[in-house]
Amino acid sequence: MQSNPLAETAPASTSIPQPSSTLAASLSTSLLHADSHLNLSADVAPPLHLSSTFQYSSDPSKLIPAKDASLTFEPSTDHIYSRLTAPNGTRLEALLTSLIGAPSLAYGSGLAALFGAYALLNPRKVAITDGYHGAHAILDIFKRLTHLEQIPLSRADELGHGDVIHLETPLNPYGEARNIADYALSAEKTGAVLLIDSTLAPPPLQDPFAQGAHIVMHSGTKYIGGHSDLLLGVLATQNKDWFKQLALDRMHTGSVAGSMECWLAARSLRTMEVRVTRQSESAGALVEWLEEAKNGNGPNEDVVGKVVAQVRHASLQEAAKAEDGWLRQQMKGWGALFALNLKKGEMAKRLPSKLKLFMHATSLGGVESLIEWRAMSDEKADPTMLRVSVGLEGWEDLRDDLLKGFEALVEEGNL
């Protein structure tokens, strides 16, 4: 695919980070050490730097006027102003570049990152179907500004060069996957850009670049942050020109992530592999139990069958049954989010109040398990639907919590 013409405005002197080739292959090892070369002190735990501006060199011979300086986004210990780079942001981006396998930038939120991607690409058409409602709100802004045309993914073959296939996989709020390689083939045929929102399947679960993605986006608020205490967005691309322009646009729009958020995210990345792997395994066990009981198998079939109408998750897709199929090739774990549809909307509304371990809240990806009556945050949501984000509690404890909630609903009778 050809480079985006917009990227030609990036200065040729701009340098960008590359994934380290000297680290051990283990993801967990990389997440602990990929930023070690940026350590400025003897601290084992990286310190928090809150300064927004940084002193120039005290040696006049090292002062280079801006008109003669080379702008760099290479991880460095030299900083000028935090809208460009700062110590905590630089360390985070070194870790993200190692994690995702492509030069990465941190933004103030996932939607800020997505806005940055569309500002860069400025497509005439976008093919997108369903997914996070916030992404559609970003597209609505571009419809207003540029008369962007939005079409469903089923019509992706109508796109032209520079248009965008926007693929969220797994899909929020259902946790079901889409075939990245198929859409990569479509993008190759039409000259479109394949943008993957991989928020629900971060490494080690999925590598969109290996499947043909051109740009990968994460809401870092979710699994990268992992503790429900920060807002963060991430964009990664292997296209050097695009990366340069994204970095410059971020600097000029001020959509950079704050130092506190970057420090928190870097802390969280140290444990990301073990967190995400455990959460995914627990979600898979819960989904299997729910599906079996709903279908009349297992000791809890009577109660679950009276309450649960449908369970949706990547592990239940038909493609998951094929050992050599696309889904098992694409994902190395099914993800920690799934959807439940109950028999009645009133049941879905009441269930969260019956639970002790699941917190009734929006968002996902944290160490604590969350359940959300989706109608609370999505105007178009089915009123019978609950979105479940599995945390680090024992999955058997979560199973028992859900079962007691179902039993309470049954005891209340017809709702």
Side-chain angles (χ1 to χ4, degrees), residues 52-56 78-82 84-85:
S52 61
T53 190
F54 305 88
Q55 295 185 68
Y56 295 117
D78 294 327
H79 304 282
I80 299 172
Y81 191 61
S82 61
L84 176 59
T85 64

Side-chain angles (χ1 to χ4, degrees), residues 182-245:
D182 272 2
Y183 288 99
L185 182 61
S186 178
E188 184 178 0
K189 290 178 180 178
T190 62
V193 176
L194 180 57
L195 187 159
I196 301 296
D197 181 346
S198 192
T199 296
L200 299 192
L205 301 183
Q206 181 171 272
D207 179 6
F209 288 117
Q211 304 293 321
H214 300 121
I215 296 181
V216 174
M217 173 261 180
H218 287 270
S219 173
T221 306
K222 311 307 192 292
Y223 293 100
I224 289 173
H227 293 77
S228 304
D229 57 5
L230 63 89
L231 291 178
L232 187 77
V234 179
L235 286 180
T237 180
Q238 295 171 336
N239 185 309
K240 296 181 179 180
D241 290 334
W242 288 1
F243 181 90
K244 293 174 185 177
Q245 192 63 52

